[in-house]
Amino acid sequence: MAGHTQNEITIAAPLDLVWDMTNDLERWPQLFSEYASVEVLKREGEKTTFRLTMHPDENGTVWSWVSEREPHRESLTVKARRVETGPFAHMDIHWRYEEVPAGTRMVWTQDFAMKPDAPVDDDWMTDNINKNSKVQMALIRDKIEKAAAGHRPAPALAD
């Protein structure tokens, strides 16, 4: 058994702005509510290896892990995976961006499996990721749309 999630949101903002803001790893703590810090460990071409640290959970536990992320601007995709997998046997993440009439559609797909000794199973984690992705995507949408409003030209004044 393995877990699979796919979540998407449309952001009323230009593709370039959505791409730039969501791929600026050092600013993820300002974009996502769950991340306390991002530490870039290594850059090789477009691939970045980094440590993500979350805010303490309800039990006071601070979760942290190392991931790799490689954006492909020409195909409007990003491939990522956990290097330090923690309770996951594997975690592979694919982001896809698409220009749509309402702005930019952003799609997150996650394929994973929990280790047999993990404190939760694949079904629990699938539900958790689906719930949290919706929350984080809405926050990101709101922040990017606010930034986009600051980039729009002022409307012409009527005489």
Side-chain angles (χ1 to χ4, degrees):
M1 178 79 184
H4 172 83
T5 66
Q6 184 166 310
N7 292 278
E8 68 177 64
I9 196 162
T10 298
I11 302 169
L15 175 67
D16 287 340
L17 182 63
V18 175
W19 178 269
D20 291 346
M21 288 184 70
T22 59
N23 285 292
D24 184 354
L25 290 175
E26 288 87 350
R27 294 191 49 83
W28 273 15
Q30 289 81 47
L31 196 60
F32 291 81
S33 65
E34 61 190 346
Y35 299 139
S37 67
V38 175
E39 176 189 2
V40 172
L41 303 173
K42 181 171 47 170
R43 292 190 193 272
E44 297 176 70
E46 293 296 315
K47 186 183 347 180
T48 304
T49 304
F50 59 100
R51 174 171 295 285
L52 273 175
T53 302
M54 298 182 78
H55 293 287
D57 67 15
E58 62 278 354
N59 300 316
T61 303
V62 175
W63 297 94
S64 182
W65 63 91
V66 173
S67 289
E68 288 179 344
R69 183 175 174 83
E70 188 168 7
H72 302 279
R73 182 67 170 93
E74 58 286 341
S75 64
L76 301 176
T77 60
V78 178
K79 289 187 178 182
R81 70 179 186 91
R82 282 193 181 205
V83 176
E84 289 179 3
T85 57
F88 293 92
H90 69 89
M91 167 62 86
D92 299 305
I93 305 166
H94 184 258
W95 289 31
R96 183 171 47 86
Y97 302 79
E98 178 185 355
E99 279 189 286
V100 295
T104 304
R105 177 179 299 127
M106 182 174 64
V107 182
W108 295 349
T109 304
Q110 293 172 275
D111 290 297
F112 60 91
M114 304 308 295
K115 290 179 179 172
D117 62 346
V120 299
D121 62 14
D122 293 338
D123 289 338
W124 186 95
M125 187 56 72
T126 298
D127 185 56
N128 186 61
I129 289 172
N130 279 327
K131 286 178 186 172
N132 191 52
S133 291
K134 287 172 181 42
V135 169
Q136 294 305 313
M137 288 180 133
L139 288 170
I140 290 167
R141 177 200 59 214
D142 294 349
K143 290 173 183 178
I144 293 174
E145 287 179 354
K146 184 176 181 182
H151 287 82
R152 293 192 181 115
L157 297 174
D159 289 330

